[in-house]
Amino acid sequence: MMQTRKSGLLRFILLLAMVLLTGTAVLAQETPGVAQLFITDSDVGSLPSVELHIYGRDAQGNPFNLSQETLAIEQNGSTVGLIEYQGTKTVGTFTVFLFDIPSGVVDELPLMQDAITTYASTGNMMEQVDSVAVYQVGAAEAEQVLEPTSFYNSVRNLFATPLTPENGATALIDSSTNLLDEMVALKPNPAMAVSLVLMTDGTDVVSTRFEEDDLVNRALELGIPIHTIWLDNSDISTPDIGQDFLAGVAAQTGGIAVQLDNAADLPLVWNRITSFRDQARIRYTVAALEAGSFPVTVALASNPTVSAETTVEIPNNLPSVVINLPSESRTLALPNLDEAVKMQFSTAVTWLDGVERQLTAAQLRVNGVSYDVPLEEIANFQADITSLTYGNNSVEMVVMDEQGIQATSPIIVLTVNEGARQIPDDLDAGSGLLGLVLRFLLVVFALIVVVAVLIWLLRNGRVPQMGSLIPRGPSRPREPFAEQQATFTPSHTVAYLEVLGAVSQLSSPIPLSLAVVRIGRSPNQANIAFENDVTMSRLHASLMLEGNHYRLFDEQSTSGTWVNERQVPEYGIQLNDGDEIHLGAVHLRFRQG
């Protein structure tokens, strides 16, 4: 009996040892990647609020839904004030394809080319928002085949000439790891989420500088998932080795592993990549506002080990604008929204260094629709609002000072209920019954004044003298209208837009005669409306006259605004004669005489 127990115990120990010896490779392939957060940008244009642009992924590589996550934020080691989710910002993705094509995969080259061009097309990659680059595995490092581009045709043109197999030996791991180190410099927009897609049979007998662990660790360090697409090499007798390697790399870095032959699985990779196109806008309030550079840490409240760090720069001369509206005055009721609602607002503009400067532009934005505000009335002004909806409405103030710095107020939310008209005194601009009575009394008073003046003129014999001043006929021949035009000197910038490409039929050129010109798809929101161009947002962009030049701003459009293939930043871009503008599929040229 004792001998049997000893024998059984010995077998158990041997079995356990075998599991431990062989289990390491299994874990290396099945252990999921590490959950991560990434802070890609910060915006201090809404002081005392700071906005961060963030995205993250869980241990399986799926994006975090940061609208549902509770975040813990510290600035300069202190917990910040109110934290709010402000929706998303479309930033775009950068995808790098790295393929290895030995002679044994020649039959799969057409499928590989089709896979890359399918990704770089409508429904997957968003043109002029996402970017893609193509590399080939080399003998020592990756070789560029297509430089980063955001246009579909660039990818299609690449494969106009079919690829040819590589005859020599190639270093898959060395090429992949070296390429990861180049990603930061390669991506067109530093804020883009990056993905590496390996298309290979997974075998590598040439790499000497790096090993599989180096590749995985570098990808995790940079936060770059590696998606792998396995190519079947007819020259390899044991293909499972390469396939297992690719599956392990994808699992450990948060990527997806598929076989090229299973075309139905490829959308899993494309969907995972594009799910990181939009990033969360997280805004928090700074309690003790001061200028300087401050470390900021963001972490998941449910798992503080998942965190990210950045540095927020607050310049000393930064303007700050606030809408002064008590919380109890942010709810109103209206019987309908068919007509404009006249409302009044009170704002305060200050500068962090305490030095007061001149403002050059001011707008009130209600649900993304802008209303110009006279600069001399900015402290207390009225506006006819046409963009209210029932429910919650976002209201913010945007100003620009003489330094060219733009500031946006923290968003306040107005709740509009359906019912009898009831507007808080802080918002009511007198458009109700009281306002009608006041306007009536004002008209009566004006009439009384006019009548009194006429009576005084009659009593003092001034009416006949005035009558003699009225000409009985033309004193001289009128100049022809053409001559009048020739002597007219415009007092404003002469500029216009040429329509180079659009679905909507608009006459070209389009003169720019206003200080602020709005461009979009909706005639209700835009001065220049491309109604049939679905690639444009309802209010896509705006042109603002600054001195003798127009500055172009993107109005948080879906596809972004581009000037000479450069995306317009939040602070806008000054236009020069001949600049080419892309708004979705609409192509314009700016002209200024």
Side-chain angles (χ1 to χ4, degrees):
M1 178 70 70
M2 184 65 67
Q3 183 68 27
T4 303
R5 289 180 179 177
K6 288 182 178 181
S7 177
L9 180 59
L10 181 60
R11 285 196 298 271
F12 174 78
I13 293 174
L14 290 174
L15 179 61
L16 180 60
M18 292 176 61
V19 170
L20 291 175
L21 289 173
T22 60
T24 303
V26 175
L27 289 174
Q29 295 180 3
E30 297 183 355
T31 301
V34 179
Q36 293 174 295
L37 279 181
F38 305 92
I39 304 173
T40 63
D41 200 4
S42 62
D43 183 0
V44 295
S46 301
L47 294 179
S49 295
V50 175
E51 183 174 292
L52 301 177
H53 299 159
I54 306 174
Y55 74 93
R57 61 180 190 183
D58 60 22
Q60 286 71 43
N62 298 303
F64 280 126
N65 182 358
L66 294 180
S67 66
Q68 304 296 321
E69 294 283 350
T70 301
L71 298 177
I73 302 179
E74 290 186 355
Q75 177 168 308
N76 207 28
S78 301
T79 302
V80 302
L82 180 66
I83 301 174
E84 297 178 293
Y85 174 79
Q86 297 290 312
T88 61
K89 176 181 176 62
T90 299
V91 177
T93 61
F94 180 48
T95 305
V96 178
F97 288 90
L98 175 61
F99 57 74
D100 189 11
I101 49 175
S103 58
V105 302
V106 63
D107 292 339
E108 299 210 297
L109 291 186
L111 293 178
M112 188 185 73
Q113 294 175 176
D114 288 345
I116 297 176
T117 53
T118 297
Y119 170 74
S121 60
T122 304
N124 294 312
M125 170 183 163
M126 183 179 290
E127 195 168 33
Q128 299 188 62
V129 174
D130 300 321
S131 292
V132 63
V134 181
Y135 280 75
Q136 183 170 353
V137 174
E141 60 185 20
E143 300 171 359
Q144 189 178 78
V145 179
L146 176 67
E147 63 182 8
T149 179
S150 61
F151 295 97
Y152 301 150
N153 282 338
S154 298
V155 180
R156 296 191 187 102
N157 292 338
L158 170 66
F159 297 121
T161 301
L163 297 173
T164 56
E166 175 64 49
N167 294 323
T170 53
L172 175 62
I173 296 178
D174 284 353
S175 296
S176 303
T177 310
N178 279 330
L179 189 55
L180 286 175
D181 290 332
E182 297 177 14
M183 289 296 197
V184 174
L186 277 176
K187 57 182 176 178
N189 181 351
M192 284 178 163
V194 182
S195 299
L196 176 62
V197 180
L198 292 183
M199 308 183 80
T200 171
D201 59 22
T203 59
D204 184 2
V205 294
V206 176
S207 293
T208 56
R209 294 180 56 199
F210 301 102
E211 298 180 356
E212 177 183 349
D213 289 345
D214 298 319
L215 174 62
V216 171
N217 292 335
R218 189 63 179 136
L220 291 174
E221 179 184 347
L222 295 171
I224 299 176
I226 301 178
H227 304 286
T228 59
I229 300 178
W230 183 68
L231 309 180
D232 186 11
N233 190 336
S234 60
D235 295 338
I236 298 176
S237 58
T238 55
D240 291 347
I241 297 176
Q243 192 171 3
D244 291 343
F245 163 72
L246 295 179
V249 169
Q252 293 175 87
T253 62
I256 296 176
V258 298
Q259 296 184 26
L260 181 62
D261 292 341
N262 295 337
D265 291 340
L266 289 174
L268 298 175
V269 178
W270 312 152
N271 292 338
R272 174 68 65 82
I273 292 173
T274 58
S275 66
F276 291 95
R277 179 181 294 132
D278 296 333
Q279 298 178 13
R281 297 168 52 222
I282 305 296
R283 185 172 293 180
Y284 66 88
T285 304
V286 180
L289 189 61
E290 57 181 329
S293 299
F294 304 99
V296 173
T297 302
V298 180
L300 298 182
S302 60
N303 185 2
T305 60
V306 181
S307 63
E309 297 181 353
T310 190
T311 299
V312 171
E313 302 281 348
I314 302 180
N316 191 47
N317 62 339
L318 204 64
S320 174
V321 56
V322 177
I323 299 176
N324 299 318
L325 187 64
S327 57
E328 62 270 17
S329 298
R330 300 181 183 182
T331 301
L332 59 148
L334 295 169
N336 62 71
L337 300 174
D338 298 335
E339 298 179 356
V341 181
K342 183 177 287 296
M343 306 178 77
Q344 65 180 8
F345 295 91
S346 171
T347 64
V349 182
T350 57
W351 284 261
L352 202 54
D353 57 9
V355 178
E356 187 171 346
R357 297 174 173 85
Q358 292 291 326
L359 295 178
T360 58
Q363 288 184 331
L364 179 74
R365 287 181 181 171
V366 181
N367 296 330
V369 179
S370 299
Y371 304 88
D372 293 333
V373 177
L375 296 177
E376 64 276 8
E377 301 175 7
I378 191 169
N380 293 282
F381 65 90
Q382 297 180 357
D384 294 320
I385 310 300
T386 59
S387 55
L388 290 174
T389 62
Y390 287 121
N392 291 334
N393 298 260
S394 65
V395 180
E396 58 186 345
M397 190 74 183
V398 183
V399 299
M400 180 177 291
D401 67 7
E402 61 187 15
Q403 309 169 100
I405 301 178
Q406 180 175 303
T408 306
S409 70
I411 293 176
I412 64 173
V413 177
L414 291 184
T415 302
V416 180
N417 300 318
E418 188 172 8
R421 181 186 179 88
Q422 186 176 3
I423 300 179
D425 293 340
D426 291 317
L427 284 172
D428 194 358
S431 55
L433 179 60
L434 178 60
L436 293 175
V437 173
L438 291 176
R439 285 198 294 271
F440 174 76
L441 293 176
L442 183 62
V443 172
V444 172
F445 176 76
L447 289 174
I448 292 174
V449 172
V450 172
V451 172
V453 171
L454 290 175
I455 292 175
W456 182 84
L457 291 173
L458 287 170
R459 287 181 176 179
N460 288 275
R462 299 296 180 92
V463 174
Q465 297 178 20
M466 294 175 63
S468 65
L469 298 176
I470 302 175
R472 300 298 179 180
S475 57
R476 60 184 177 85
R478 292 182 177 268
E479 296 179 359
F481 181 68
E483 295 181 13
Q484 296 180 37
Q485 282 187 314
T487 61
F488 174 71
T489 302
S491 60
H492 59 276
T493 300
V494 178
Y496 57 91
L497 295 174
E498 295 177 349
V499 180
L500 303 181
V503 176
S504 303
Q505 299 297 319
L506 271 71
S507 60
S508 180
I510 304 171
L512 304 176
S513 58
L514 301 175
V516 178
V517 180
R518 302 178 185 86
I519 307 173
R521 192 177 75 250
S522 170
N524 297 326
Q525 300 183 27
N527 306 107
I528 302 174
F530 294 84
E531 299 184 50
N532 299 322
D533 288 85
V534 296
T535 59
M536 295 186 69
S537 299
R538 287 178 294 179
L539 177 60
H540 197 105
S542 61
L543 290 161
M544 182 177 295
L545 187 62
E546 298 178 357
N548 293 324
H549 297 278
Y550 274 99
R551 180 174 286 271
L552 179 64
F553 294 91
D554 180 74
E555 297 291 349
Q556 298 181 344
S557 63
T558 301
S559 58
T561 303
W562 302 75
V563 174
N564 299 332
E565 298 188 4
R566 174 190 170 195
Q567 188 167 17
V568 174
E570 291 189 3
Y571 53 82
I573 188 170
Q574 181 177 298
L575 295 177
N576 297 311
D577 181 52
D579 283 348
E580 295 196 11
I581 305 170
H582 283 88
L583 307 97
V586 173
H587 186 189
L588 307 174
R589 180 183 289 121
F590 175 78
R591 289 295 188 185
Q592 181 171 339

